[in-house]
Amino acid sequence: MSAVPPKCLQCKRDLRYDLAHLRYGCPACDAAHAAADIWRIGGETLGRQVARLVHQVEQWLRK
């Protein structure tokens, strides 16, 4: 293992080793992904849930 830490391929910052997941991770990019995951519920994006709900409401209004 070298003394120079590995770099992130996206933002070119130094990666840090995450003991919880046993892998290297970029703190900046991981924070951006975590912010995007706020809109996820049960592994599915909130947008899909809203689209289904709107579709169900449209069907109900047609009846």
Side-chain angles (χ1 to χ4, degrees):
M1 191 161 221
S2 68
V4 178
K7 301 280 185 184
C8 177
L9 296 175
Q10 294 177 348
C11 68
K12 307 298 182 204
R13 293 184 186 181
D14 291 344
L15 296 178
R16 295 197 179 136
Y17 192 74
D18 183 10
L19 289 175
H21 296 103
L22 300 175
R23 66 174 180 89
Y24 281 96
C26 176
C29 293
D30 288 345
H33 291 298
D37 285 342
I38 290 172
W39 297 104
R40 292 187 169 271
I41 297 174
E44 205 168 87
T45 59
L46 187 60
R48 290 183 195 157
Q49 295 283 346
V50 171
R52 286 186 188 135
L53 180 62
V54 169
H55 180 70
Q56 289 175 354
V57 169
E58 287 175 344
Q59 287 181 344
W60 179 74
L61 290 174
R62 287 183 193 150
K63 291 183 180 179

